[in-house]
């Protein structure tokens, strides 16, 4: 049995049975059997089932949000958005089955056409920081493309995934098409890697674990989508709207208590406005409302666990603290928003992914220096650029090695557009109109017309 803890109180709220190796094998085999009938479902009927699934999620938004607040410590506002995102992603990819078209390619002597064939069983391994949306980003396009799915939620946050599986059954998805298997990564996740019937894995988590999964999949040439770590840069140039850049910077890193691969946890500020930016940033950080995540006014909740809090604190110990916000005392895994001054790009808190409400600030001299410092990392997931100069915005956007960039904004994820990283931040892309193609193989068929 796995204990499920409320991060805001430290209390055990329930226990969940961990899936055994034998149970994992049985679930994968059921998914493999269900695949043959699921891929044969008429496109319009598969689309209708996905829309029905989305409607069931919509009818239970408040329930799902409340469950995520208790299980993951997310603020109620964020949790409502996350549940709504599951609904929206399902609705978006419900259009896929009737639009998954191939091509007719002009060739001599016959007709050449392509088909997008589903892969089979897809294994999805979900992290604890955004349990609902990241699950949907994998299972919605995979199901729409005709695959069956086995999904392993994180050990710490299994509750919403289990509820989504129930809603899928209520919507009429056949048995074995979408199965949630709570359990340990060394058992369930590892079996996804080694089982030959699992034809693709979607993994979101640490770069270290993703690297091991990638190595394990090599033996079977198993398909992979990896969304891994990040150490994203927030570049603030002297000509930017400094008031807006400073006011929004805390929410670009402290959202979800900084437990976000897209967190802009490195702020690079042009040296001529560095002091002024810090003056503006301090009241913005102190104003972040860190409180009981069930409150409508909450802007940041607790960290996921005591262990995570210890990890975050280890980055602050010995560092130069510019200023901090506040957080509740007493039970729960709370940590105050913290701003550190980087002495050099070699500082540990500047280089490594803290995965908590800690941001580092460093000055730069000019555009070339900003790009050099932004790219001086093994990661390349997301980032922001603040400038009023359109030419600079385009130049820097092209020069910074990151899969998702926003100008005068901190947006990273829209389900209509591709999402993924460069370098050690991952492999492949999720979301957007092309995501279902990542769950298919292109088959080419030539039909001779020669007599």
């Amino acid at each position: 049995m796995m204990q499920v803890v409320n991060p805001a109180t430290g209390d055990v709220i329930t226990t969940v049975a961990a899936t055994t190796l034998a149970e994992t094998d049985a679930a994968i085999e059921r998914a493999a059997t269900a695949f043959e009938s699921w891929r044969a479902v008429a496109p319009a009927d598969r689309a209708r089932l996905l829309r029905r699934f989305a409607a069931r999620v919509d009818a239970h938004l408040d329930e799902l949000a409340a469950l995520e607040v208790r299980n993951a410590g997310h603020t109620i506002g964020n949790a409502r958005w996350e549940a709504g995102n599951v609904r929206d992603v399902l609705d978006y990819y419900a259009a896929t089955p009737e639009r998954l078209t191939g091509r007719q390619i002009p060739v001599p002597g016959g007709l050449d056409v392509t088909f997008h064939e589903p892969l089979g069983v897809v294994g999805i391994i979900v992290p604890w920081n955004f349990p609902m949306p990241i699950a949907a980003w994998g299972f919605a396009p995979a199901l729409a493309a005709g695959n069956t799915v086995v999904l392993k939620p994180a050990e710490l946050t299994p509750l919403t995934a289990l509820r989504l599986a129930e809603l899928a059954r209520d919507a009429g998805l056949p048995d074995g098409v979408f199965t949630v298997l709570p359990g340990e990564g060394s058992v369930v996740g590892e079996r996804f890697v080694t089982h030959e019937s699992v034809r693709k894995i979607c993994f979101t988590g640490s770069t270290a674990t993703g690297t091991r999964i990638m190595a394990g999949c090599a033996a079977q040439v198993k398909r992979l989508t990896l969304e891994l770590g990040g150490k994203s840069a927030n570049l603030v140039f002297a000509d930017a709207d400094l008031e807006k850049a400073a006011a929004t910077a805390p929410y670009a890193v402290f959202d979800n208590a900084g437990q976000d691969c897209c967190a802009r946890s490195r702020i690079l500020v042009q040296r001529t406005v560095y002091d002024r930016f810090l003056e503006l940033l301090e009241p913005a950080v102190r104003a972040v409302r860190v409180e009981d995540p069930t409150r409508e006014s909450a802007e940041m909740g607790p960290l996921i666990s005591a262990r995570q809090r210890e990890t975050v604190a280890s980055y602050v110990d010995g560092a130069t603290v510019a200023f901090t916000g506040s957080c509740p005392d007493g039970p729960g895994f709370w940590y105050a928003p913290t701003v550190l001054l980087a002495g050099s790009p070699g500082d540990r808190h500047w280089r490594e992914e803290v995965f908590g409400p800690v941001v580092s600030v460093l000055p730069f001299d000019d555009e070339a220096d900003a790009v050099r410092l932004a790219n001086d990392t093994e990661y390349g997931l997301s980032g922001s650029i603040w400038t009023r100069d359109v030419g600079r915005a385009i130049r820097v956007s092209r020069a910074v090695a990151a899969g998702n960039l926003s100008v005068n904004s901190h947006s990273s994820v829209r389900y209509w557009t591709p999402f993924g990283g460069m370098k050690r931040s991952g492999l492949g892309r999720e979301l957007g109109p092309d995501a279902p193609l990542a769950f298919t193989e292109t088959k080419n068929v030539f039909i001779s017309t020669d007599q």
Side-chain angles (χ1 to χ4, degrees), residues 170-252:
D170 291 346
L173 267 68
D175 182 55
V177 169
F178 177 47
T179 308
V180 171
L181 303 173
E184 297 179 0
S186 58
V187 177
V188 181
E190 180 65 23
R191 193 59 179 136
F192 288 1
V193 173
T194 60
H195 200 297
E196 291 188 355
S197 292
V198 177
R199 298 308 309 145
K200 176 172 181 171
I201 288 179
C202 296
F203 171 79
T204 301
S206 72
T207 297
T209 302
T211 301
R212 290 197 299 272
I213 289 174
M214 189 174 184
C217 288
Q220 298 175 24
V221 196
K222 188 170 296 191
R223 282 24 173 195
L224 274 171
T225 297
L226 299 174
E227 196 271 276
L228 307 176
K231 192 66 178 176
S232 300
N234 180 6
L235 302 173
V236 182
F237 287 90
D239 70 332
D241 181 339
L242 290 184
E243 286 74 14
K244 185 176 181 182
T248 57
Y251 302 96

Side-chain angles (χ1 to χ4, degrees), residues 354-394:
V354 178
F355 224 60
V358 175
V359 64
S360 305
V361 189
L362 185 72
F364 67 86
D365 293 316
D366 54 23
E367 188 175 308
D369 194 33
V371 170
R372 178 184 65 81
L373 289 169
N375 286 339
D376 184 23
T377 174
E378 64 181 3
Y379 300 112
L381 187 55
S382 61
S384 298
I385 301 159
W386 289 82
T387 179
R388 288 186 170 98
D389 185 329
V390 175
R392 171 181 287 141
I394 295 171

Side-chain angles (χ1 to χ4, degrees), residues 43 63 118 150 168 175 203 205 229 247 255 302 311 313 384 418 445:
E63 175 197 348
V150 286
D175 182 55
F203 171 79
D255 183 58
T311 298
S384 298
V445 177

Side-chain angles (χ1 to χ4, degrees), residues 89 93 96 135-147 431 435-436 439:
V89 169
Y93 289 114
T96 294
W137 301 350
F139 71 65
L143 293 171
N147 302 278
L431 301 175
F439 296 96

Side-chain angles (χ1 to χ4, degrees), residues 119-338:
L119 299 173
V121 180
V122 173
I124 299 175
I125 303 173
V126 180
W128 48 257
N129 59 329
F130 291 105
M132 277 195 289
I134 290 178
W137 301 350
F139 71 65
L143 293 171
N147 302 278
T148 55
V149 169
V150 286
L151 184 147
K152 192 200 89 67
E155 291 94 319
L156 296 173
T157 55
L159 299 186
T160 47
L162 289 167
R163 185 67 180 121
L164 287 171
E166 293 173 351
L167 295 176
R169 289 193 294 272
D170 291 346
L173 267 68
D175 182 55
V177 169
F178 177 47
T179 308
V180 171
L181 303 173
E184 297 179 0
S186 58
V187 177
V188 181
E190 180 65 23
R191 193 59 179 136
F192 288 1
V193 173
T194 60
H195 200 297
E196 291 188 355
S197 292
V198 177
R199 298 308 309 145
K200 176 172 181 171
I201 288 179
C202 296
F203 171 79
T204 301
S206 72
T207 297
T209 302
T211 301
R212 290 197 299 272
I213 289 174
M214 189 174 184
C217 288
Q220 298 175 24
V221 196
K222 188 170 296 191
R223 282 24 173 195
L224 274 171
T225 297
L226 299 174
E227 196 271 276
L228 307 176
K231 192 66 178 176
S232 300
N234 180 6
L235 302 173
V236 182
F237 287 90
D239 70 332
D241 181 339
L242 290 184
E243 286 74 14
K244 185 176 181 182
T248 57
Y251 302 96
V253 65
F254 301 145
D255 183 58
N256 198 33
Q259 299 166 131
D260 182 354
C261 293
C262 293
R264 273 68 166 167
S265 56
R266 293 184 301 148
I267 303 180
L268 285 157
V269 186
Q270 197 153 17
R271 197 177 301 276
T272 55
V273 294
Y274 177 78
D275 291 338
R276 177 56 180 157
F277 180 83
L278 287 175
E279 290 175 0
L280 295 168
L281 181 63
E282 183 171 1
V285 170
R286 296 192 188 282
V288 175
R289 298 182 64 92
V290 184
E291 57 188 6
D292 181 347
T294 63
R295 294 181 180 178
E296 295 290 342
S297 57
E299 294 179 321
M300 186 182 119
L303 292 166
I304 190 65
S305 66
R307 179 181 179 182
Q308 186 65 17
R309 183 171 59 183
E310 292 171 2
T311 298
V312 171
S314 73
Y315 285 93
V316 177
D317 292 343
T320 302
V321 178
F323 41 83
T324 67
S326 60
C327 67
D329 295 323
F333 312 125
W334 301 96
Y335 200 90
T338 301

